[in-house]
Amino acid sequence: MSTKYHGNENAACEAHEPNFLQCVEEFFDIAAKASGVKKSMVNTIRGVDAILSVTFPIEREDGETEIVRAYRAEHSRHKLPVKGGIRYAEDVDMQEVEALASLMTYKCAVVDVPFGGAKGGVAINPRKYTVGELERITRRFALELCQKNFLGPGVDVPAPDVNTGGREMTWMMDTYRQLNPTDINAAGCITGKPINQGGVRGRTEATGLGVYYSTREFLKYEDVQKVTGLTGEIEGKTVSLQGFGNVAFYAAKFFVANGAKVVAVADSRFSVLNQNGLDIEKLGEYKAEHGSLEGYPDGEVVAGSTKALEVECDILVPSALERQIGLKNVHNIKAKIINEGANGPITPAAHEILVQKGVVVVPDLLANAGGVCVSYFEWLKNVSHVRFGRMNRKWEEQGKERLLALVEEQAGRKLSDGERQTVIHGAEEHELVYSGLEDTMIKACEETRVTANEFGNIDYRTAAIANAIRKIASCLEGTGVMFSSRG
């Protein structure tokens, strides 16, 4: 479908392999059979609740008028608000948006985030527009969403995605706020905002951190160690990442910080290989300065991004786009664990081959759920109107001070100022966010492992989706589906 990553469609997928939406539906159907949920309920869960496709004119700075097309899909409203990012890309279309909205529903269920799933897209290349033009496009799309009741803190909560960030999210939030001046929860209509606009500390690195946590947890499981032959710690493992955007950059940083070695990284056009390990900070600085990894001096640079998928490594993190591993290249994969930092990077046929080979696949709806988890924390912060840690940080420090005084008295030794501060330090907002994310990922990984074993050693993707189906079905059965258009 997408050709944004150089040559990857022809390199990865046979012509008969399903498109992205069909891949998601095929994985869902396999898991639905294993879940034990009755067919009528499965059909209710599978479909998309609401789709919005709009076109609107914007005036370019040269005076010309251009028509822009944009999409929003709300897959499931079994819990509100629904949540999902907005990506700006020329080739975004409705089937991609529906697929990503469906994945978001299952992702929220797997990690127990009480949101339904949604996704949006604006069919433009943002690099072809000035900042002023981008603002007009973003605000007009936000206006369309508001008018159709697709935007609001209790309805639909968009977040940044490809080619969008805090700036675009602020424009959308401000548009909603201008149209709803009495809504005191207006900041909660959008997540992924800058800190000074109600964002939460830790959101930027959240998805990459979730990739690290999920990999770490699966490595601890004896059944994973038995299949892969790997030891149970991150230290000493070799890692390759396809993609070098936000997710891959932060995932790589956390892997390296915990003793792993990154031996390959790819952006949309080039792969950089170095079996001695890459300096991620230096690589990031080079990419920011030059716009690509071409010419990077401290590694072998190879044209195309697919080489990073095929290097010898313990852990592979495809974190670029969907359908990057298909029947054409699946037999070239040498990794022992694949953690899907991107959504839908492996086709169903390729996934089956990998599982049969004994490759452990940590699926996208679990592996990259860190972003939605911390978006949930941001939403909680916005609707509660208080920064995490504000009410209890000093109380924690005072309690630790009293306990420390007793310890020092019994030990007969005073701690230095540095030692004292380390012991009594109360949690800051980003530390609480990290803690909440880590706890969430540990629980979701363990649930997935237990379900895989319960069903007779099915693969982890099937187990994760089956868990999601069970949870959503339980919610719908409790509330009823009398207003469902598919009931």
Side-chain angles (χ1 to χ4, degrees):
M1 185 195 75
S2 173
T3 56
K4 285 176 279 189
Y5 268 64
H6 179 70
N8 284 4
E9 277 300 292
N10 292 332
C13 296
E14 299 284 0
H16 66 271
E17 290 190 84
N19 65 30
F20 184 25
L21 178 59
Q22 291 167 339
C23 287
V24 173
E25 291 174 339
E26 189 170 327
F27 284 132
F28 177 90
D29 291 342
I30 293 168
K33 292 177 182 177
S35 70
V37 174
K38 60 185 180 182
K39 186 175 181 180
S40 60
M41 183 61 71
V42 165
N43 291 338
T44 297
I45 296 169
R46 191 177 190 269
V48 177
D49 276 341
I51 296 171
L52 177 67
S53 176
V54 297
T55 56
F56 51 83
I58 66 113
E59 185 177 352
R60 302 293 300 265
E61 293 189 358
D62 61 5
E64 293 293 317
T65 298
E66 182 175 316
I67 302 299
V68 174
R69 179 171 291 279
Y71 310 93
R72 188 72 177 169
E74 294 184 348
H75 172 258
S76 178
R77 295 169 173 169
H78 72 288
K79 290 185 183 291
L80 290 175
V82 294
K83 155 75 174 66
I86 294 178
R87 57 173 50 185
Y88 286 8
E90 281 182 311
D91 57 354
V92 72
D93 58 20
M94 184 54 78
Q95 70 94 358
E96 179 181 10
V97 169
E98 288 186 48
L100 290 167
S102 303
L103 268 178
M104 186 60 73
T105 294
Y106 314 142
K107 189 177 300 186
C108 289
V110 163
V111 293
D112 293 322
V113 168
F115 290 161
K119 205 71 179 184
V122 182
I124 64 167
N125 180 350
R127 295 178 180 84
K128 296 180 179 179
Y129 297 84
T130 67
V131 172
E133 290 168 344
L134 281 175
E135 182 175 357
R136 287 195 287 276
I137 292 170
T138 304
R139 287 185 179 273
R140 180 56 189 268
F141 185 39
L143 175 62
E144 295 285 345
L145 293 175
C146 289
Q147 289 177 335
K148 307 299 191 301
N149 198 32
F150 270 72
L151 178 61
V155 181
D156 192 338
V157 182
D161 205 310
V162 176
N163 293 321
T164 57
R167 179 184 65 178
E168 288 77 17
M169 297 299 100
T170 300
W171 290 336
M172 294 192 75
M173 178 190 69
D174 185 66
T175 302
Y176 174 83
R177 189 160 48 192
Q178 296 292 334
L179 295 170
N180 299 272
T182 62
D183 188 347
I184 63 170
N185 294 318
C189 76
I190 295 287
T191 64
K193 303 179 295 295
I195 299 300
N196 63 7
Q197 297 295 331
V200 69
R201 292 162 182 83
R203 175 63 181 87
T204 302
E205 63 270 34
T207 307
L209 181 55
V211 166
Y212 164 73
Y213 283 148
S214 56
T215 307
R216 183 196 69 186
E217 290 308 302
F218 271 83
L219 272 174
K220 293 179 181 178
Y221 302 148
E222 289 185 6
D223 36 357
V224 170
Q225 295 171 21
K226 183 177 180 181
V227 169
T228 63
L230 296 174
T231 57
E233 64 281 329
I234 291 290
E235 186 174 2
K237 301 297 185 293
T238 54
V239 182
S240 177
L241 303 102
Q242 187 208 31
F244 201 51
N246 176 276
V247 176
F249 176 73
Y250 282 104
K253 286 186 65 173
F254 287 114
F255 279 121
V256 170
N258 288 275
K261 182 168 62 175
V262 174
V263 296
V265 167
D267 65 8
S268 61
R269 296 168 54 214
F270 297 93
S271 298
V272 179
L273 318 175
N274 189 332
Q275 284 299 315
N276 295 319
L278 293 163
D279 185 325
I280 297 304
E281 291 286 357
K282 185 176 180 181
L283 200 64
E285 291 170 1
Y286 186 91
K287 174 72 183 291
E289 181 180 351
H290 296 86
S292 83
L293 298 179
E294 182 179 14
Y296 183 70
D298 296 331
E300 179 189 359
V301 180
V302 181
S305 71
T306 55
K307 184 62 178 176
L309 297 170
E310 300 172 1
V311 300
E312 292 273 2
C313 62
D314 298 317
I315 301 162
L316 173 63
V317 183
S319 50
L321 292 170
E322 63 274 5
R323 301 174 79 238
Q324 297 301 296
I325 299 175
L327 288 176
K328 285 187 176 181
N329 64 349
V330 65
H331 295 289
N332 299 330
I333 305 300
K334 304 176 184 69
K336 299 176 179 68
I337 293 180
I338 299 177
N339 184 300
E340 294 185 324
N343 291 309
I346 304 175
T347 65
H351 179 263
E352 183 176 353
I353 291 170
L354 290 168
V355 171
Q356 291 299 319
K357 286 172 58 179
V359 178
V360 171
V361 179
V362 185
D364 46 11
L365 71 162
L366 172 58
N368 65 45
V372 69
C373 288
V374 179
S375 280
Y376 172 51
F377 300 159
E378 180 179 341
W379 181 80
L380 288 175
K381 176 183 179 179
N382 294 157
V383 297
S384 64
H385 302 275
V386 64
R387 183 187 75 247
F388 295 124
R390 182 170 184 174
M391 298 294 291
N392 60 337
R393 189 170 71 87
K394 294 306 293 183
W395 173 255
E396 288 180 10
E397 290 184 353
Q398 290 164 4
K400 291 176 182 178
E401 281 273 19
R402 291 190 290 270
L403 179 61
L404 188 58
L406 292 172
V407 172
E408 288 177 328
E409 182 180 341
Q410 292 297 317
R413 182 178 84 85
K414 291 283 187 180
L415 297 182
S416 68
D417 289 344
E419 290 172 330
R420 175 175 292 273
Q421 187 55 43
T422 298
V423 172
I424 69 169
H425 171 72
E428 302 285 354
E429 182 173 75
H430 76 280
E431 293 167 322
L432 292 168
V433 166
Y434 281 19
S435 174
L437 174 57
E438 182 174 14
D439 183 66
T440 299
M441 296 304 291
I442 290 172
K443 180 181 178 184
C445 289
E446 177 62 14
E447 281 187 349
T448 302
R449 185 191 69 83
V450 168
T451 299
N453 291 336
E454 172 195 339
F455 287 147
N457 295 315
I458 61 173
D459 64 88
Y460 295 114
R461 186 192 309 280
T462 302
I465 300 175
N467 278 344
I469 293 170
R470 286 173 161 185
K471 291 177 182 180
I472 297 166
S474 177
C475 178
L476 290 174
E477 286 167 355
T479 59
V481 291
M482 69 176 290
F483 295 111
S484 170
S485 60
R486 303 178 309 278

